[in-house]
Amino acid sequence: MRTLIFRTIAPYLTSLMVLFSIFVLLRGHNEPGGGFIGGLIAASAFAIYGIACGVSPVRRSLYFHPMAISGCGLLVAAVSGLVSIFMEMPFLTGQWGVINLLGMPVDISTVLFFDIGVYLVVVGSITSIALALEERERA
Amino acid sequence: MEADGHWLTFLVLMLPFAGAAIAPVLVRFSGHNAAWLLALIPAFMFYHFTGFLGPVADGETVVAGYSWIPSLDVDFSWYIDGLSLTFALLISGIGALIVLYAGGYLKGHAHLGRFFSFILMFMGAMQGLVLADGFLTLFVFWELTSITSFLLIGFDHAREASRRAALQALIVTGLGGLSLLAGLLLIWNMTGLGSMSALLEAESALREAPLYLAALLLVLGGAFTKSAQFPFHFWLPNAMEAPTPVSAYLHSATMVKAGVYLVMRLNPVMGDTVAWETILPIFGGTTLIVGTLLAVRQTDLKLMLAYTTVASLGLLVMLTGFGSEKAAEAAVLYLVAHSMFKGALFMVAGGIDHEAGTRDITRLGGIGRAMPITFAAAVLAAISMGGLPPFFGFLAKEEIYAGLWQGGGWSGLMTLVAIVGNALMFAIGFAVALKPFTGPEVETPKHAHEGPVLLWLGPLVLGVAGLLTALASTLSHRFITNPMASAVVGEPVEVYISVVPHVGLPLALSVITIVLGVLAYLMLARGREAMAATLKAIGWGPDQGFDQAVRGSVRFSSVVTGIVQNGRLDYYMTATFVALALALFVPMILFGELPAVPAFPDLRFYEWIVLAIAFIGLGAVLYARDRLTAIVSLGIQGFAVALLFMLLGAPDLSFTQFMVETLSVVILALVMTRLRLSQADHRPTGEKAVDITIAAACGAALGLMLLRVTQVPFDDTLSVFFAEYSRAIAHGRNIVNVIIVDFRGLDTLGEIAVVMIAGLAILALVRIRAGKPIAAPKGEG
């Protein structure tokens, strides 16, 4: 598997895929995409990187344990639902606001954070499974 | 439901739990003296409830609470009438004394803080139980008492006996709680009423409901297990493994009376039927006799008292179910009297144990001079227990005879049962209160002397209370007995009994009881031997039955596990897919729902090409020489299907399908290399044929079902709804995503939690294989 071409191109491919996954995540509310698909794309990106260059570079570049990322995602999703409780609305009711970013109005919402949570859970869980399996391959 | 002004009651309901949270901290700073501070919590609760005495005596009731689950019409609500108020006063009043007593009894114990936490939680649970109005509120607190009593009984968790007793109590009362839940839900379903107050107002609605008997049996299942009625009585004496303050509290005011409370509470709406007036007296009467006889057998002070508690609970159930108004009044009087004298006697037994070092009645004697205050408290309580004037127990006993003798068909038999039971309890009560203190001094493990104030305060207060409440009987009737009896009977009643003896049949029966009691007291040692011999002859009891049941279920489950989970993956896969094929095929054929043969599809040429690619992928899977090729070919087919989704206008779906295909190919390939399977499939043709059949059946069944589904007229309510509202409400144009993150956000939250847990589980599995074999648990290898 670890041909020179694959090994050389893998980091660039991975970066591109991760970037693309974030793009897919953010456009999800209006166009095809969203946290789940984005998460799957990012997870396959890391899986490819792992196949090409080995598991330890992936673990180093992720810095956190993938399962920690997953747990963090679950927390983000759950907490995003709490916001509405303080507005005296049922749990997980979407809250919307607009902020000005460099003169551009940007919609920001608890739903977005919920989707980011989904993304992180999927990335973390699938990546950790894939990495664990790849590690074993060499052991 | 409006709750303005009732927040203080809510606060009082939550106060013990707050106390439980701070108790360990308090104990760390002030040692056992924290008991004085912590006793303020039940004391405040007691004070709060005394405020209701006046209004409730005037016939008022309080119903209040907060909306809990509005969509299901479930409230967190409480109901204060004579019955619940008396219970609340007993729980908080005796609770305060118990907390103080525990401070003395467990002084210097390493886990005193934890103990206070547990007992305060238990107090809160019990208080919530008796005050609960909504069925769900009642059930939650009911099971909470089971759980907290589990913690208390197993407090001394290093000992095997404690753990067994705790587990036994939890299993018996917890199962009973589930039975109660079923009963309450049934009542809710039949009458449409979800709270006690509404049920009491509807009066006979429940009795006339079609499934009355089923509801009755289920509810009684809860009440009888909690109140240790025969044959569920065995857990209660075993619960004596708990520290004495727990026993005293459990037996006097709380846990075991919960079932009696429930029976009393439901008497106005469930009583007055043949079933009620048959089941309750029979079980109650049997429990009374069995309990006293078993009490005679014991030599341990606590166990003697424990079995008389069983007997008393039987008496209470018998009286409540007897059906006459006077009998219900008698039950009320006896309940109050019992709470006071049993609490006191238990604390005395604990005091003796603490100071003399043993609870064995045959090894105690003559310590009365060394412990005069405890002795006095014990005698006060025993007089009440024996039903002698001028104590509250006397009032109760007179009313019992008056009530039973006047009553209906069972009258003669029940009176006889009550006389025997009362006489034996008289004997046991005085045995506990006199034997250790009087007679020649016996060498005890510790040299006895009077304990600190914390140890004798509780029993003395309760003993004196048994005297004062009887002397001031007009007051105690007005504020306690009348309202409570009215709540039990279901209409206003008045109790007149006072300490002045009335000449009549009840008095004659009392005299007979006392004479029999004195005789039994004198012959206690011989009776004990006789009972021991009888029990040995019988040999088997429900307590052993419990052990056998537990062992049996463990063995049964290990046999079932051996069959169902034999550890062979191919076996599981075969079972799963055969079940899937059957589940799809059988109903379709049975109900004649096979799809019509579809028309030949009219597709564009590129759609044909994609379809062809999918088929080629499938062919490649079948003809692949080695497994890796097969896995990758499966990916081809999956990609083609994803492409079809895209062409047919489901970009989200196809997007996901692409990613899932990619990842499943990658992960399957990794798993395959990891399992070190041989490259090719070398199984015999027979096995292959079976697998091919199952696979083909699953595929055909799924395909047929999908065809059938598309042939049903399409109901577009949901699509129209989402198309209309996703932009307006959820600010998104992508309906699929809006559904996932907004309309059905809670589902998604659950799903991602599952994804994460599955990830953790897989990770653990992979680790087990990757690392060294895990060390086997002790004793297994």
Side-chain angles (χ1 to χ4, degrees):
Chain A
M1 290 271 224
R2 278 186 222 156
T3 59
L4 184 60
I5 296 171
F6 191 29
R7 244 187 348 218
T8 317
I9 207 167
Y12 300 100
L13 192 62
T14 304
S15 327
L16 263 177
M17 282 175 80
V18 172
L19 202 62
F20 180 63
S21 77
I22 294 170
F23 165 71
V24 167
L25 161 71
L26 293 179
R27 83 203 275 258
H29 214 52
N30 290 320
E31 306 289 336
F36 189 71
I37 302 172
L40 288 179
I41 296 173
S44 26
F46 293 126
I48 288 172
Y49 192 25
I51 292 169
C53 308
V55 173
S56 29
V58 186
R59 289 208 190 276
R60 264 205 309 280
S61 60
L62 277 177
Y63 190 75
F64 297 105
H65 190 281
M67 227 53 227
I69 296 176
S70 184
C72 180
L74 195 57
L75 187 72
V76 168
V79 168
S80 77
L82 288 179
V83 176
S84 57
I85 288 200
F86 293 106
M87 309 277 187
E88 302 203 345
M89 277 185 246
F91 182 57
L92 281 172
T93 311
Q95 303 297 321
W96 291 80
V98 181
I99 54 166
N100 255 318
L101 201 65
L102 306 173
M104 285 269 287
V106 176
D107 281 339
I108 200 128
S109 67
T110 58
V111 173
L112 178 66
F113 285 97
F114 184 79
D115 221 8
I116 292 173
V118 174
Y119 173 88
L120 292 176
V121 170
V122 173
V123 176
S125 301
I126 310 271
T127 307
S128 67
I129 296 168
L131 289 185
L133 287 170
E134 284 170 22
E135 226 156 22
R136 161 75 182 195
E137 191 185 10
R138 295 187 302 150
Chain B
M1 214 173 267
E2 278 304 308
D4 295 333
H6 291 297
W7 61 270
L8 194 60
T9 304
F10 181 74
L11 191 75
V12 163
L13 276 171
M14 294 299 132
L15 198 58
F17 298 103
I22 58 163
V25 185
L26 277 183
V27 170
R28 189 169 307 154
F29 285 115
S30 49
H32 74 282
N33 284 319
W36 294 105
L37 281 173
L38 289 170
L40 290 176
I41 291 172
F44 178 75
M45 284 153 60
F46 186 80
Y47 166 76
H48 175 74
F49 288 121
T50 51
F52 289 99
L53 278 174
V56 168
D58 294 335
E60 278 181 41
T61 55
V62 180
V63 183
Y66 298 93
S67 197
W68 188 359
I69 311 171
S71 50
L72 294 178
D73 205 16
V74 171
D75 293 325
F76 180 89
S77 54
W78 55 90
Y79 178 56
I80 301 177
D81 67 346
L83 180 60
S84 47
L85 181 60
T86 306
F87 264 98
L89 287 171
L90 288 173
I91 292 163
S92 53
I94 297 183
L97 297 174
I98 294 285
V99 168
L100 291 177
Y101 180 74
Y105 189 82
L106 292 172
K107 180 181 172 183
H109 193 287
H111 298 301
L112 184 61
R114 189 192 297 170
F115 180 83
F116 279 133
S117 271
F118 289 170
I119 204 148
L120 285 169
M121 277 193 279
F122 177 69
M123 188 184 293
M126 196 60 210
Q127 180 190 233
L129 192 166
V130 297
L131 293 174
D133 185 27
F135 285 173
L136 211 60
T137 319
L138 176 74
F139 174 72
V140 166
F141 281 118
W142 182 279
E143 290 295 53
L144 201 55
T145 58
S146 292
I147 295 166
T148 45
S149 67
F150 168 76
L151 295 173
L152 283 170
I153 297 169
F155 181 67
D156 195 2
H157 58 83
R159 281 189 313 125
E160 170 78 31
S162 288
R163 292 201 302 272
R164 172 173 181 268
L167 209 58
Q168 193 179 48
L170 184 70
I171 290 174
V172 175
T173 61
L175 283 179
L178 294 181
S179 163
L180 172 71
L181 177 66
L184 290 176
L185 290 178
L186 194 59
I187 293 174
W188 204 339
N189 209 305
M190 285 190 303
T191 61
L193 304 169
S195 69
M196 285 295 172
S197 52
L199 198 62
L200 289 172
E201 258 171 47
E203 292 193 351
S204 61
L206 184 54
R207 271 192 292 266
E208 286 149 17
L211 289 172
Y212 163 77
L213 192 64
L216 175 70
L217 291 178
L218 287 169
V219 169
L220 287 185
F224 281 7
T225 47
K226 200 71 145 187
S227 274
Q229 296 296 301
F230 184 84
F232 306 114
H233 64 277
F234 54 88
W235 71 263
L236 195 152
N238 287 340
M240 290 299 101
E241 296 295 338
T244 304
V246 177
S247 315
Y249 199 37
L250 237 65
H251 281 225
S252 58
T254 54
M255 177 84 165
V256 300
K257 290 239 169 76
V260 175
Y261 164 78
L262 190 69
V263 169
M264 286 182 160
R265 170 59 83 212
L266 290 172
N267 186 44
V269 285
M270 289 191 116
D272 207 16
T273 60
V274 179
W276 181 270
E277 289 178 4
T278 313
I279 299 174
L280 261 61
I282 287 182
F283 276 89
T286 313
T287 311
L288 172 60
I289 297 299
V290 169
T292 44
L293 287 179
L294 289 173
V296 170
R297 158 79 184 83
Q298 305 303 324
T299 56
D300 183 313
L301 292 178
K302 268 175 80 177
L303 282 176
M304 292 167 75
L305 292 171
Y307 279 107
T308 57
T309 303
V310 172
S312 301
L313 295 168
L315 180 60
L316 286 170
V317 168
M318 182 177 106
L319 289 169
T320 313
F322 191 68
S324 82
E325 191 184 302
K326 268 252 188 295
E329 291 170 17
V332 166
L333 284 166
Y334 188 74
L335 188 137
V336 175
H338 178 259
S339 300
M340 293 189 287
F341 68 66
K342 193 51 72 64
L345 283 176
F346 260 112
M347 288 194 251
V348 166
I352 295 173
D353 187 19
H354 201 260
E355 297 306 322
T358 178
R359 290 197 308 253
D360 192 332
I361 196 164
T362 57
R363 294 172 60 200
L364 285 163
I367 58 171
R369 213 163 315 137
M371 303 174 70
I373 308 177
T374 312
F375 184 29
V379 170
L380 290 177
I383 296 175
S384 193
M385 181 166 172
L388 294 174
F391 280 77
F392 208 73
F394 171 72
L395 306 187
K397 195 191 55 178
E398 295 300 288
E399 196 79 355
I400 290 172
Y401 291 141
L404 288 180
W405 190 249
Q406 277 184 357
W410 297 79
S411 169
L413 180 64
M414 290 297 138
T415 312
L416 191 66
V417 167
I419 290 176
V420 173
N422 272 334
L424 286 174
M425 278 203 267
F426 177 98
I428 305 283
F430 277 103
V432 172
L434 294 182
K435 284 259 165 82
F437 296 101
T438 56
E441 245 175 271
V442 175
E443 189 77 21
T444 49
K446 277 198 225 168
H447 188 66
H449 58 86
E450 193 62 79
V453 58
L454 284 171
L455 273 184
W456 51 255
L457 185 68
L460 195 64
V461 169
L462 285 178
V464 172
L467 177 64
L468 291 183
T469 43
L471 290 178
S473 60
T474 30
L475 276 180
S476 44
H477 287 332
R478 171 165 153 64
F479 287 114
I480 300 281
T481 327
N482 286 346
M484 182 167 166
S486 307
V488 176
V489 176
E491 54 196 55
V493 293
E494 278 197 45
V495 184
Y496 295 106
I497 193 90
S498 70
V499 289
V500 185
H502 312 271
V503 181
L505 194 63
L507 192 67
L509 294 175
S510 283
V511 173
I512 297 175
T513 309
I514 292 167
V515 171
L516 284 175
V518 172
L519 281 178
Y521 174 76
L522 295 174
M523 304 194 341
L524 200 59
R526 214 174 305 160
R528 186 179 299 139
E529 278 164 28
M531 268 316 292
T534 321
L535 285 178
K536 210 172 172 192
I538 299 174
W540 185 90
D543 193 29
Q544 267 182 313
F546 173 82
D547 280 345
Q548 286 160 349
V550 169
R551 269 200 302 275
S553 68
V554 168
R555 211 170 298 152
F556 175 72
S557 58
S558 70
V559 168
V560 171
T561 314
I563 296 169
V564 179
Q565 300 196 336
N566 58 358
R568 288 189 54 184
L569 191 60
D570 55 342
Y571 181 87
Y572 300 159
M573 302 278 272
T574 313
T576 310
F577 283 109
V578 167
L580 177 66
L582 287 179
L584 289 171
F585 254 128
V586 172
M588 256 194 298
I589 294 168
L590 273 188
F591 298 105
E593 291 279 343
L594 285 170
V597 180
F600 195 75
D602 176 25
L603 295 179
R604 289 159 195 270
F605 78 98
Y606 54 83
E607 289 167 338
W608 282 116
I609 292 173
V610 176
L611 214 56
I613 295 174
F615 271 103
I616 292 169
L618 211 57
V621 175
L622 293 177
Y623 285 101
R625 285 286 172 81
D626 60 290
R627 292 174 201 262
L628 199 60
T629 321
I631 289 169
V632 176
S633 320
L634 199 63
I636 298 177
Q637 173 267 350
F639 269 43
V641 172
L643 213 54
L644 268 185
F645 286 147
M646 179 101 83
L647 296 175
L648 296 176
D652 262 292
L653 199 57
S654 102
F655 218 157
T656 313
Q657 171 85 357
F658 271 123
M659 292 328 299
V660 170
E661 271 318 318
T662 313
L663 276 170
S664 50
V665 166
V666 168
I667 288 182
L668 268 179
L670 287 173
V671 168
M672 207 208 74
T673 48
R674 189 132 151 43
L675 286 177
R676 293 172 206 229
L677 298 172
S678 54
Q679 285 290 309
D681 187 354
H682 294 303
R683 286 174 304 165
T685 328
E687 262 180 54
K688 272 190 192 168
V690 171
D691 286 355
I692 290 170
T693 320
I694 294 170
C698 279
L702 209 60
L704 286 176
M705 197 201 62
L706 283 176
L707 265 182
R708 180 66 198 143
V709 166
T710 51
Q711 284 169 9
V712 175
F714 183 61
D715 177 4
D716 63 351
T717 330
L718 284 176
S719 342
V720 170
F721 171 84
F722 285 125
E724 202 169 316
Y725 288 104
S726 64
R727 185 86 189 97
I729 300 180
H731 308 268
R733 283 192 302 273
N734 176 5
I735 294 178
V736 177
N737 187 262
V738 165
I739 292 174
I740 291 176
V741 297
D742 201 302
F743 287 116
R744 307 216 60 102
L746 198 59
D747 289 1
T748 310
L749 192 60
E751 280 155 18
I752 56 177
V754 170
V755 167
M756 189 179 137
I757 292 164
L760 279 173
I762 294 174
L763 207 58
L765 282 175
V766 173
R767 283 277 162 76
I768 289 172
R769 294 227 157 216
K772 295 169 193 121
I774 352 169
K778 270 178 203 164
E780 284 180 26

